[in-house]
Amino acid sequence: MNRKTINRRFCVAPMLDWTDSHCRGFHRLMTKESVLYTEMVTTGALVYGDVERHLGYIEAEHPVALQLGGSDPTDLAHCSKLAQSYGYDEVNLNVGCPSDRVQSGRFGACLMADPGLVAECTAAMIEAVDIPVTVKCRIGIDEQDDYADLQRFVSLVADSGVTTFIVHARKAWLDGLSPKENRDIPPLNYDRVYLLKEEFPDLEIIINGGINNLDETLLQLEKVDGVMMGRAAYQSPFILKEVDQRIYGSERPVISDAELIEQLCDYVELRLAGGAQLKYISRHVVGLFQSRAGARQWRRYLSENAFKPGSGTEVIRAAAAFIPDLSYDSDITTPSISNTRQ
């Protein structure tokens, strides 16, 4: 079966409550090459819920992957078919989320204890679709924390036909740590992921966890096939502006600040015309000018005004006027914010 080739040198991680369609469309303004991932969608939400609400997106988001959470091979095969019918470029199985809700539903990181079941799931998914089926996992869980355990997991799942593994280089403590704590407290072990690549050279290994900028990304790419960045890309999205040039070698010019604001306004107008409200878009862009002069005022103006009924691109343009080094040709006078702090 000929499956579509996706260049995963740089991916933006699936993040619950963050990487919705509005977020992905915004990220796509800055990087045309990166692979973008949805929030995790459970099979139950698609089997029993509103499929369009969970799977709808805009064409500009490509290449875009749907991440599924579940452990029933039949349901996962069905949902993979839905993903393909909606035009997703990849379907990814979550074997890394450590939340209580995920454990009670017997999916996410707890599945690492049952690689045979994961292999059944991925085999069913691969049989059902032509698009790539990938797995996102941890390096271990609880006391199952030897390299041999990870090696066995990857070997069994690879035998089902999976050729791409996205590995969060931290173990997950399913008993004793919250999902938030599991993102920070277990120490990073990049060497274990590097060893995995050495022992499985024919597999595509994408590393995830604690990677904060493009310099670190380039160093990781000397050891593995790709990098998945999560919180850093979301909280400081300006990072994404140079991904195409520095990671993919694109000759396309880096988008200027002024052009980005113009494209953001065009994007907002597109979304508003489709029935969206500005507050659901603007929450993803508040970190755009992180650590730059005027960033605090940009964030505050958006937060105070985007929720108002009828708010539109005038809010974006007015907020942009607070960025002093933004080469932005606007007739809008810098607005006032009560108690604005420098």
Side-chain angles (χ1 to χ4, degrees):
M1 203 178 274
N2 293 323
R3 299 184 187 274
K4 182 175 180 178
T5 300
I6 300 174
N7 190 332
R8 301 182 185 84
R9 280 179 65 80
F10 189 90
C11 309
V12 178
M15 291 174 280
L16 198 60
D17 297 326
W18 285 8
T19 52
D20 61 14
S21 182
H22 295 311
C23 172
R24 298 191 303 269
F26 164 54
H27 285 174
R28 189 57 78 205
L29 299 179
M30 293 172 284
T31 170
K32 307 302 181 187
E33 306 293 341
S34 304
V35 182
L36 306 181
Y37 284 72
T38 70
E39 307 168 87
M40 181 184 69
V41 180
T42 65
T43 53
L46 296 180
V47 172
Y48 304 108
D50 186 338
V51 172
E52 174 62 26
R53 182 172 73 84
H54 289 294
L55 297 190
Y57 65 97
I58 60 173
E59 285 299 308
E61 293 176 39
H62 289 292
V64 59
L66 172 68
Q67 186 182 71
L68 289 174
S71 59
D72 179 87
T74 300
D75 286 348
L76 283 165
H78 169 70
C79 293
S80 297
K81 288 180 180 178
L82 288 176
Q84 179 166 281
S85 71
Y86 267 75
Y88 281 91
D89 300 289
E90 170 191 327
V91 60
N92 174 266
L93 180 61
N94 184 316
V95 192
C97 181
S99 75
D100 292 339
R101 181 173 70 89
V102 163
Q103 292 182 59
S104 66
R106 204 187 175 208
F107 55 95
C110 64
L111 284 176
M112 291 200 70
D114 194 347
L117 175 58
V118 176
E120 288 181 38
C121 291
T122 51
M125 295 165 72
I126 290 169
E127 178 66 24
V129 297
D130 298 325
I131 58 177
V133 173
T134 66
V135 166
K136 187 173 190 292
C137 64
R138 294 276 184 144
I139 57 172
I141 54 170
D142 296 334
E143 301 304 329
Q144 184 180 308
D145 189 30
D146 292 329
Y147 175 74
D149 296 315
L150 177 62
Q151 184 185 49
R152 177 172 176 269
F153 173 86
V154 169
S155 180
L156 285 172
V157 177
D159 285 345
S160 76
V162 175
T163 60
T164 299
F165 290 82
I166 303 164
V167 186
H168 188 156
R170 285 188 175 94
K171 67 178 290 184
W173 281 105
L174 303 181
D175 183 18
L177 293 182
S178 70
K180 182 178 184 301
E181 290 170 330
N182 263 302
R183 290 194 293 267
D184 296 301
I185 292 178
L188 287 161
N189 188 341
Y190 293 141
D191 287 341
R192 187 170 293 186
V193 184
Y194 303 155
L195 181 57
L196 199 64
K197 178 59 187 177
E198 290 176 9
E199 295 204 11
F200 296 91
D202 294 334
L203 296 179
E204 182 182 35
I205 303 297
I206 314 299
I207 198 166
N208 171 231
I211 301 164
N212 295 310
N213 55 59
L214 297 189
D215 289 338
E216 293 176 11
T217 296
L218 289 167
L219 289 174
Q220 293 288 353
L221 289 172
E222 296 176 4
K223 301 281 191 177
V224 293
D225 301 298
V227 164
M228 176 173 276
M229 187 181 292
R231 285 170 288 169
Y234 185 89
Q235 294 168 345
S236 301
F238 225 70
I239 290 172
L240 301 177
K241 282 186 61 176
E242 296 185 354
V243 165
D244 293 358
Q245 293 73 24
R246 296 190 62 190
I247 307 302
Y248 288 91
S250 172
E251 296 182 359
R252 183 188 312 112
V254 175
I255 188 170
S256 69
D257 296 349
E259 180 62 21
L260 178 55
I261 292 297
E262 288 301 328
Q263 289 193 20
L264 176 58
C265 288
D266 290 343
Y267 173 67
V268 167
E269 288 180 351
L270 173 68
R271 289 296 199 170
L272 295 181
Q277 297 178 51
L278 182 61
K279 62 183 179 181
Y280 296 119
I281 307 168
S282 64
R283 72 187 186 96
H284 300 300
V285 310
V286 292
L288 180 57
F289 297 107
Q290 186 77 9
S291 301
R292 289 178 57 177
R296 183 193 299 268
Q297 292 91 336
W298 158 269
R299 291 193 303 269
R300 188 170 179 184
Y301 191 85
L302 289 178
S303 299
E304 291 182 351
N305 292 278
F307 73 93
K308 296 178 180 177
S311 293
T313 56
E314 74 284 349
V315 173
I316 301 294
R317 295 180 187 279
F322 283 108
I323 309 300
D325 56 346
L326 180 66
S327 300
Y328 183 55
D329 183 13
S330 173
D331 294 331
I332 295 178
T333 302
T334 302
S336 61
I337 297 181
S338 58
N339 299 320
T340 296
R341 295 186 298 271
Q342 298 300 319

